[in-house]
């Protein structure tokens, strides 16, 4: 709601979309803004059906939408930051989805640009069937949620599609739906035209003196029933309404997640937890143990089909991974199945499209489906190739040590990098190649050196066997953590000083009551950082007091 028109404006620039890398990051940005891969996919279908975008150019945007939809469960993992071990598991379980999508894009996007295999495969499938528009796809979860959401807000998503397809009149329309029931009728009117060539047809053209007349159809809309939601007829701008709804939804989301985690922690204890863990994380007996992961994929696909949202399903299993009920190894195939489930819903929705957009809707939905299938073939069947699990565990360990790094990761991967690439794409492909290629080459070189340092350091020169020759802030997060900790502790001291000053102004206050905040501060236990525990460093008493103030 807050960024709906901005999403339409981004899609409108066809010259930028011709660059596959720009199309990828646009798909990421738009899906992050509208928080729905279904909405971004529907915009793409509208543009393809209007001949503003070809299917090969739409495929990178679909890949970006697949990445953008994984931001929700990563945000959900932040709610378990209070406990280091829970946060380590929850963030790893959430980001395994991110790493799968990013790694799949890094491999499959260049392959698609070079060969067009997704376009060719889906085109053969679509052309081999005589397609006819069918019934609407089943709406299972929406039957429950729609009556409640329609009481709060109703949106006119056609406005976003109209902006994306170049309709200038749509930019002045509001996304908030005011009239829920309208009736449009066509009325034939007599109008004058400059010459007979401008008539609608030769049979509907006549002369009256010096004027040439013809019949033209004009549409008139009759507004019958007004909507009954909270914001119907509001004078607020769309952005203001979106910000209000965003704040309320985040408040409700955080409250529900905290309550869910507390409920799960209280219920799943003792023998109940051990039985559930054993049931969910146990493999089939040999020689069928390899089938367990594929059964988990079917479960993830089925559950996502029921709730009709991969974000809902992956966000639901993230707290379970955090408290240790589901292992990351089991959450990985569930997440992959969720990716498949959300594409089957899109295929059913595409089959219900009108005849003018049926072919394009189905082809784009199939591109999304086979992209996820290709990613699963790459990163699941061979255990050695399950890189997303290892990368997610590594990131989970980092965020457990330095919890601020989780917010940094979110901002960089889902906002700053896509915005930077989009800005370079607008400037021109020369700038994009000249800046991004050296950065990518440097990242690849650093990755190779890191792997060799861990596995075969003797193959490297003596200098590159460690990163100690660089300044510490370039190869360690500890200096950054110290700087951020000192900044937050300074803010904490400043807040405490302000509170003390306010207490001092109260002349009638009891002196005994003034000392209570100090006692409360001293009474808080200071959790020693994980890095200190690993390095067996003693905790400094002064540091404990400062950390307690920061925690408050």
């Amino acid at each position: 709601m807050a960024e709906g028109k901005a999403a339409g404006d981004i899609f409108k620039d066809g010259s930028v979309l011709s660059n596959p890398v720009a199309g990828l990051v646009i798909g990421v940005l738009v899906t992050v803004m509208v928080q729905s891969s279904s909405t971004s996919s529907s915009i793409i279908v509208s543009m393809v059906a209007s001949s503003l975008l070809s299917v090969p150019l739409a495929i990178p945007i679909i890949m970006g939408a697949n990445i953008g939809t994984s931001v929700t469960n990563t945000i959900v993992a932040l709610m378990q930051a209070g406990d280091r071990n829970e946060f380590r598991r929850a963030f790893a379980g959430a980001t395994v989805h991110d790493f799968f999508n990013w790694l799949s894009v890094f491999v499959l996007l260049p392959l698609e640009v070079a060969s067009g295999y997704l376009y060719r495969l889906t085109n053969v499938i679509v052309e081999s069937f005589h397609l006819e528009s069918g019934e609407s796809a089943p709406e299972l979860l929406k039957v429950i949620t729609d009556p409640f959401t329609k009481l709060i807000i109703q949106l006119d998503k056609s406005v976003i599609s109209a902006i994306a397809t170049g309709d200038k009149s749509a930019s002045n329309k509001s996304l908030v739906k005011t009239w829920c029931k309208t009736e449009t009728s066509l009325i034939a009117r007599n109008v004058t035209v400059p010459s007979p060539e401008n008539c609608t047809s030769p049979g509907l053209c006549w002369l009256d003196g010096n004027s040439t007349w013809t019949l033209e159809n004009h549409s008139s809309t009759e507004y019958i029933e007004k909507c009954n939601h909270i914001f119907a007829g509001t004078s607020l701008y769309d952005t203001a309404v979106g910000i209000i709804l965003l704040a309320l939804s985040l408040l409700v989301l955080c409250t529900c997640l905290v309550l869910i985690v507390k409920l799960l922690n209280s219920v799943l204890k003792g023998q109940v937890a051990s039985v559930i863990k054993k049931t969910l994380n146990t493999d089939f007996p040999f020689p069928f143990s390899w089938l367990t992961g594929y059964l988990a994929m079917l479960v993830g696909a089925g559950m996502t089909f029921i709730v009709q949202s991969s974000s809902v399903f992956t966000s639901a299993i993230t707290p379970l991974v955090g408290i240790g009920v589901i292992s990351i190894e089991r959450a990985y195939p569930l997440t992959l199945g969720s990716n498949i489930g959300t594409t089957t819903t899109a295929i059913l929705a595409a089959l219900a499209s009108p005849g003018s957009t049926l072919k394009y809707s189905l082809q784009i939905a199939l591109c999304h489906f086979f992209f996820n299938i290709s990613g699963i073939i790459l990163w699941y069947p061979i255990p050695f190739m399950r890189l997303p699990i290892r990368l997610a565990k590594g990131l989970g360990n980092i965020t457990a040590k330095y919890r601020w790094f989780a917010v940094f990761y979110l901002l960089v991967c889902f906002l700053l990098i896509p915005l930077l690439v989009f800005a370079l794409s607008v400037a021109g492909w020369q700038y994009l190649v000249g800046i991004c290629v050296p950065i990518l080459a440097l990242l690849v070189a650093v990755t190779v050196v890191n792997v060799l340092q861990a596995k075969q350091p003797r193959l490297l020169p003596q200098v590159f066997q460690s990163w100690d020759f660089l300044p510490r802030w370039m190869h360690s997060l500890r200096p950054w953590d110290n700087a951020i900790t000192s900044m937050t502790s300074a803010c904490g001291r400043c807040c405490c000083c302000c509170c003390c000053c306010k207490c001092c102004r109260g002349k009638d206050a009891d002196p005994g009551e003034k000392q209570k905040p100090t006692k409360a501060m001293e009474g808080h236990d200071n959790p020693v950082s994980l890095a200190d525990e690993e390095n067996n460093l003693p905790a400094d008493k002064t540091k404990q007091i400062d950390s307690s103030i920061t925690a408050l």
Side-chain angles (χ1 to χ4, degrees):
M1 177 69 201
E3 299 293 342
K5 290 186 177 180
D9 289 331
I10 290 176
F11 273 127
K12 186 170 62 176
D13 195 347
S15 61
V16 177
L17 294 177
S18 61
N19 184 340
V21 179
L24 173 73
V25 297
I26 285 172
V28 175
L29 286 171
V30 171
T31 308
V32 168
M33 286 192 293
V34 300
Q35 282 293 293
S36 172
S37 58
S38 301
T39 301
S40 54
S41 299
S42 66
I43 297 173
I44 297 168
V45 170
S46 301
M47 294 184 67
V48 173
S50 304
S51 301
L52 295 175
L53 192 67
S54 62
V55 174
L57 295 181
I59 292 175
I61 308 176
I62 290 293
M63 295 182 180
N66 210 52
I67 294 174
T69 193
S70 63
V71 71
T72 307
N73 56 316
T74 309
I75 296 174
V76 168
L78 296 177
M79 297 300 105
Q80 291 177 268
D83 183 273
R84 287 187 187 274
N85 288 326
E86 284 189 13
F87 189 45
R88 177 190 290 109
R89 291 190 294 262
F91 205 78
T95 53
V96 72
H97 194 190
D98 304 350
F99 283 115
F100 170 78
N101 288 329
W102 282 110
L103 289 174
S104 299
V105 164
F106 288 154
V107 175
L108 297 178
L109 180 60
L111 182 62
E112 173 63 24
V113 172
S115 64
Y117 86 100
L118 284 176
Y119 172 73
R120 297 175 189 274
L121 175 62
T122 55
N123 191 54
V124 169
I125 294 174
V126 171
E127 294 292 343
S128 63
F129 294 102
H130 299 288
L131 299 173
E132 294 182 1
S133 182
E135 296 181 356
S136 299
E139 295 184 349
L140 303 176
L141 186 65
K142 289 186 177 181
V143 174
I144 303 172
T145 59
D146 273 0
F148 297 99
T149 56
K150 286 182 178 179
L151 292 175
I152 300 172
I153 189 70
Q154 293 185 43
L155 301 181
D156 188 0
K157 294 183 180 180
S158 62
V159 175
I160 303 177
S161 300
I163 294 174
T165 53
D167 187 355
K168 295 182 179 179
S169 63
S171 60
N172 296 323
K173 295 181 180 178
S174 173
L175 286 173
V176 181
K177 187 181 289 186
T178 303
W179 296 94
C180 288
K181 189 175 180 181
T182 59
E183 186 175 339
T184 302
S185 57
L186 292 177
I187 301 173
R189 293 180 180 176
N190 297 334
V191 294
T192 59
V193 291
S195 62
E197 289 80 8
N198 301 109
C199 294
T200 53
S201 67
L204 300 175
C205 192
W206 67 92
L207 297 174
D208 184 8
N210 295 328
S211 302
T212 304
W213 293 80
T214 188
L215 281 177
E216 283 187 358
N217 290 327
H218 290 267
S219 62
S220 63
T221 303
E222 182 182 357
Y223 299 100
I224 301 173
E225 184 180 347
K226 200 170 184 179
C227 297
N228 294 322
H229 58 87
I230 296 174
F231 293 97
T234 181
S235 59
L236 296 174
Y237 291 107
D238 288 354
T239 304
V241 175
I243 291 173
I244 293 171
L245 292 175
L246 177 64
L248 291 176
S249 61
L250 287 176
L251 178 62
V252 173
L253 175 65
C254 295
T255 304
C256 292
L257 288 173
V258 170
L259 293 176
I260 288 173
V261 172
K262 289 186 176 296
L263 179 64
L264 291 174
N265 281 328
S266 60
V267 173
L268 300 178
K269 286 183 179 180
Q271 294 183 352
V272 177
S274 61
V275 169
I276 294 177
K277 289 178 186 177
K278 194 172 182 179
T279 304
L280 292 176
N281 300 316
T282 302
D283 294 336
F284 288 139
F286 183 82
F288 303 105
S289 57
W290 59 275
L291 288 172
T292 310
Y294 297 99
L295 178 62
M297 288 186 197
L298 291 177
V299 172
M303 294 299 296
T304 304
F305 179 79
I306 291 174
V307 301
Q308 294 192 339
S309 173
S310 59
S311 299
V312 171
F313 177 73
T314 53
S315 299
I317 66 173
T318 296
L320 296 175
V321 177
I323 64 176
V325 173
I326 300 178
S327 66
I328 298 176
E329 287 75 12
R330 183 66 72 242
Y332 182 50
L334 288 171
T335 301
L336 301 186
S338 176
N339 275 359
I340 300 298
T342 192
T343 57
T344 55
T345 305
I347 292 173
L348 289 176
L351 290 173
S353 301
S356 59
T357 61
L358 176 59
K359 176 184 175 181
Y360 305 114
S361 302
L362 183 59
Q363 187 169 3
I364 290 172
L366 287 174
C367 287
H368 197 183
F369 175 77
F370 283 108
F371 167 73
N372 284 306
I373 291 292
S374 303
I376 291 173
I377 294 173
L378 280 174
W379 309 114
Y380 188 78
I382 304 174
F384 174 77
M385 293 297 293
R386 294 173 187 174
L387 296 179
I389 295 178
R390 281 178 280 175
L391 293 174
K393 285 184 175 180
L395 183 60
N397 290 329
I398 293 174
T399 52
K401 281 185 181 180
Y402 313 108
R403 283 181 257 196
W404 54 267
F405 192 79
V407 179
F408 176 79
Y409 164 80
L410 274 172
L411 292 176
V412 169
C413 289
F414 293 99
L415 186 63
L416 297 181
I417 290 179
L419 282 176
L420 176 63
V421 175
F422 178 69
L424 292 174
S425 302
V426 173
W429 66 268
Q430 299 92 339
Y431 296 94
L432 181 64
V433 173
I435 294 177
C436 291
V437 170
I439 294 176
L440 288 176
L442 179 62
L443 290 176
V444 171
V446 170
T447 303
V448 171
V449 172
N450 276 330
V451 172
L452 291 176
Q453 285 177 351
K455 303 294 183 181
Q456 296 289 338
R458 56 186 178 81
L459 298 179
L460 294 171
Q462 186 68 31
V463 179
F464 288 102
Q465 290 184 3
S466 69
W467 297 109
D468 293 337
F469 66 93
L470 293 174
R472 197 179 181 202
W473 61 270
M474 294 184 67
H475 64 89
S476 174
L477 292 175
R478 178 60 65 84
W480 297 96
D481 183 63
N482 293 336
I484 292 174
T485 303
S486 62
M487 289 172 60
T488 53
S489 62
C491 293
R493 292 192 196 97
C494 181
C495 293
C496 288
C497 290
C498 292
C499 292
C500 291
C501 291
K502 290 180 181 179
C503 292
C504 291
R505 293 192 190 103
K507 296 181 180 180
D508 298 331
D510 186 13
E513 293 180 357
K514 294 180 183 178
Q515 296 177 358
K516 287 182 181 179
T518 307
K519 291 181 180 179
M521 271 182 240
E522 293 173 352
H524 280 279
D525 293 330
N526 174 47
V528 182
S529 67
L530 189 63
D532 292 342
E533 289 177 354
E534 291 181 353
N535 298 324
N536 297 320
L537 295 177
D540 187 19
K541 188 174 181 180
T542 307
K543 185 178 177 182
Q544 289 182 3
I545 297 174
D546 291 341
S547 300
S548 300
I549 296 173
T550 306
L552 286 176

